[in-house]
Amino acid sequence: MNVLQFHEEIKMPGCSTCHDHQPAQSVSPTYKKVLWVALVVNLGMFIVEVASGLKAGSVSLLADSLDFFGDAANYAVSLFVLGMALSIRAKAALVKGATLGIFGVGVLAYTAYRLWTGQVPEPLTMGVVAVLALVANVAVALMLYKWREGDSNMQSVWLCSRNDAIGNVAVVAAAGLVAWTGSAWPDLAVAVLMATLGITAARTIITQAWRELNQTSV
């Protein structure tokens, strides 16, 4: 999420209000440290969910990792290109949007493969990792809670971290249903929904970034 200046008008999976066009603002050192922690947590959970999703055969875990990838990329953009020229920030957004979109399409393709093979994911790993992801998102939201009533950028950062927990709850529910029914359908359904949201977010990011690049060329 372009937290401080570049909080790209993205609607990340689980995030409905991540849009802002305000100029760069000064940020307290404490807030920057919190963003660094949030970046590390989200990047770490992205890796954990990808590895666990592949190991357990859970596409909903892979889809949920889109949240962590998107958030980690947003924190990185805010920390590394904040204050740089609009064209540089827009190019960074293009890379982020393209990567997110490619990964989302990959998750959909993997979902189709799992549907074809009929393999049922391992529900225990799904549930444990989804709960861990929920704890991570709640922890980040609590760290950002102090700035929940700041400017629109700060509010968006906190709200997106809070709302991402919805995806984690969905995966936990899918794990429970997989264990109860012995079917892969709950996992597949959640994966399709979250991957679609990720692709939609990628399209929004790319569209806005391309618009900003065109503005800089005028």
Side-chain angles (χ1 to χ4, degrees):
M1 302 153 277
N2 182 345
V3 194
L4 313 170
Q5 172 187 27
F6 188 59
H7 198 72
E8 291 100 41
E9 30 309 307
I10 76 180
K11 295 186 178 179
M12 294 304 303
C15 175
S16 59
T17 56
C18 301
H19 184 97
D20 192 78
H21 295 283
Q22 296 182 355
Q25 303 174 18
S26 60
V27 190
S28 70
T30 301
Y31 189 60
K32 287 184 178 180
K33 290 179 181 178
V34 170
L35 290 182
W36 270 108
V37 173
L39 169 60
V40 172
V41 170
N42 279 273
L43 183 59
M45 283 308 305
F46 166 69
I47 296 172
V48 169
E49 285 206 318
V50 169
S52 300
L54 292 173
K55 180 179 179 180
S58 171
V59 282
S60 64
L61 275 182
L62 290 175
D64 191 48
S65 69
L66 289 173
D67 269 335
F68 287 109
F69 172 79
D71 288 348
N74 286 326
Y75 292 131
V77 166
S78 296
L79 288 166
F80 293 116
V81 303
L82 179 64
M84 292 186 181
L86 178 62
S87 60
I88 295 178
R89 290 181 280 122
K91 290 175 182 177
L94 280 176
V95 173
K96 180 176 67 177
T99 305
L100 182 62
I102 292 171
F103 190 55
V105 171
V107 170
L108 287 181
Y110 191 56
T111 301
Y113 171 73
R114 287 295 179 183
L115 178 62
W116 179 65
T117 61
Q119 181 178 346
V120 178
E122 201 281 292
L124 180 59
T125 300
M126 283 179 63
V128 170
V129 175
V131 170
L132 178 61
L134 177 60
V135 171
N137 272 319
V138 170
V140 171
L142 289 176
M143 285 190 296
L144 295 168
Y145 185 77
K146 179 180 178 181
W147 292 275
R148 70 191 185 284
E149 295 180 354
D151 59 36
S152 59
N153 285 312
M154 291 181 175
Q155 289 181 33
S156 294
V157 174
W158 180 73
L159 287 173
C160 289
S161 295
R162 183 195 66 180
N163 293 347
D164 284 346
I166 295 175
N168 307 140
V169 173
V171 179
V172 172
L177 289 173
V178 168
W180 182 44
T181 64
S183 169
W185 279 105
D187 181 58
L188 298 175
V190 170
V192 169
L193 174 61
M194 298 180 69
T196 301
L197 289 174
I199 293 171
T200 301
R203 178 181 178 183
T204 303
I205 296 171
I206 293 172
T207 299
Q208 178 60 26
W210 190 256
R211 186 181 300 120
E212 291 176 347
L213 280 175
N214 288 334
Q215 289 175 355
T216 60
S217 63
V218 175

